[in-house]
Amino acid sequence: MRIDLHSHTHLSDGTQSPTELVHAAREAGLDVLALTDHDTFVGWDEAARAATQVGLTLVRGVEISTILDGHGVHLLAYLPDPGHEGIRTGLEAVLRARNDRLPTILERLAAVDVLITPEDVAEVAGDTVAVGRPHVADALVAAGVVAHRGEAFRRYLGPGGKAFVPRTAADLWEMVAQVEEAGGVSVLAHPWGRGAEQVLDAAAFRRLKEHGLTGIEVDHEDHGARERAELRAIAADLDLVVTGSSDHHGEGKIGHALGCNTTDPEQYARLIAAAESAALRAGRTTPAVIG
Ligand code: AMP
Ligand code: ZN
Ligand code: FE
Ligand code: FE
């Protein structure tokens, strides 16, 4: 069983449609895929139809942009009730904050003589629900300013870049609680990847677990062998589920091919069982696993 629990479509910042993503997952030999677009559920229905057609098991989720002590932390939520008020308003606020920041980013680029218009960004953003830095990065690539997204983040859009604009996001503690109330389970995405390793230490994992966190994403390209070993030990100590994923973004992220990291079937079974009991506790009708 090959299980990949984190992926994106062009509805956030990937490059494939939900249908294309599901077909690609099948072709990559995956048995289970989780769709986890940033801060939106809009790809769920199309992905579910495609998964039923090709016979792929699909877990529907979302990757929520949150903040802990001023650091951006990505929180994966699996199988929450998408109609839950707290999740809905939380995600709406995140999407608004991301869209609102775009003019400032473009002003800062203009200040260093890089002229990108909102139309340039809209053109590469396609039908995403929230225009973010990855789309500005794509516009910079299209304009020939940089060679790829990574260079755009390093030189302009990331912390320390010439056009870096921080943004607010949902509070991590609050969102862990909301996911539980919505009958879903939460898993910290790439906790020691870019940015948040300073704030996510063993003590923080313990407090998050007490707060309702179900797992941590250990096997991710942002983590080296040492990080993976340490995170695995922390997870074992705290009885947290260990997941692995590609964090696939289509052509939008190099080195994140579907299935490049996978989740152990036993850990996957624990995650799904935890989601089932969360739904029961919350008294919520949550989305079923497809297939
Ligand atoms: P935003 O939501 O606008 O703050 O953009 C954040 C998203 O940009 C993340 O979720 C990543 O998918 C992407 N990203 C962040 N840093 C990089 C990087 N160095 N190279 C490519 N993509 C990045
Ligand atoms: Zn992304
Ligand atoms: Fe992420
Ligand atoms: Fe992601």
Side-chain angles (χ1 to χ4, degrees):
M1 268 247 280
R2 297 189 70 224
I3 304 164
D4 185 341
L5 291 182
H6 180 165
S7 67
H8 299 270
T9 73
H10 68 190
L11 297 166
S12 60
D13 60 347
T15 58
Q16 294 155 304
S17 69
T19 305
E20 287 165 347
L21 173 70
V22 163
H23 283 255
R26 228 4 186 158
E27 275 151 35
L30 292 176
D31 302 288
V32 181
L33 176 75
L35 166 65
T36 54
D37 268 318
H38 295 283
D39 308 305
T40 182
F41 303 116
V42 291
W44 279 21
D45 291 350
E46 184 185 326
R49 283 193 299 275
T52 305
Q53 266 170 16
V54 304
L56 180 81
T57 299
L58 179 76
V59 178
R60 285 171 286 178
V62 59
E63 184 175 14
I64 308 175
S65 307
T66 76
I67 297 243
L68 174 66
D69 298 338
H71 292 267
V73 173
H74 286 177
L75 184 69
L76 292 161
Y78 297 104
L79 304 167
D81 175 355
H84 180 263
E85 190 59 28
I87 293 249
R88 280 217 350 255
T89 52
L91 296 185
E92 273 162 24
V94 173
L95 295 183
R96 215 176 311 117
R98 185 177 295 131
N99 283 318
D100 287 355
R101 165 174 76 151
L102 186 65
T104 317
I105 294 178
L106 299 184
E107 273 165 32
R108 294 202 182 161
L109 282 172
V112 292
D113 292 322
V114 177
L115 302 177
I116 300 286
T117 66
E119 292 71 31
D120 295 335
V121 180
E123 180 149 348
V124 292
D127 46 10
T128 181
V129 293
V131 178
R133 289 179 294 167
H135 308 103
V136 180
D138 290 348
L140 288 166
V141 174
V145 178
V146 295
H148 49 75
R149 272 190 189 177
E151 187 185 348
F153 273 87
R154 189 169 46 75
R155 286 177 56 195
Y156 297 106
L157 304 171
K162 293 193 176 81
F164 175 62
V165 181
R167 80 173 144 94
T168 55
D171 175 68
L172 176 63
W173 301 101
E174 175 65 18
M175 286 322 285
V176 169
Q178 294 296 341
V179 170
E180 192 172 31
E181 267 189 40
V185 285
S186 55
V187 171
L188 275 178
H190 46 72
W192 290 351
R194 289 186 291 258
E197 64 275 30
Q198 302 95 321
V199 286
L200 289 170
D201 56 12
F205 288 127
R206 181 178 301 278
R207 287 201 307 278
L208 283 162
K209 155 99 189 187
E210 287 161 6
H211 212 74
L213 183 77
T214 297
I216 51 186
E217 187 179 57
V218 171
D219 291 304
H220 184 282
E221 286 305 286
D222 282 1
H223 298 149
R226 190 183 54 80
E227 284 88 6
R228 293 181 193 211
E230 263 181 58
L231 285 168
R232 219 178 285 285
I234 290 172
D237 187 39
L238 296 175
D239 199 27
L240 285 162
V241 172
V242 167
T243 69
S245 79
S246 61
D247 198 358
H248 183 67
H249 281 68
E251 306 292 304
K253 226 177 196 179
I254 300 153
H256 289 253
L258 283 163
C260 67
N261 295 292
T262 54
T263 299
D264 182 83
E266 223 171 275
Q267 299 292 316
Y268 171 68
R270 279 181 69 197
L271 186 75
I272 298 304
E276 280 163 6
S277 41
L280 273 179
R281 273 197 312 278
R284 287 264 159 190
T285 308
T286 54
V289 173
I290 305 284

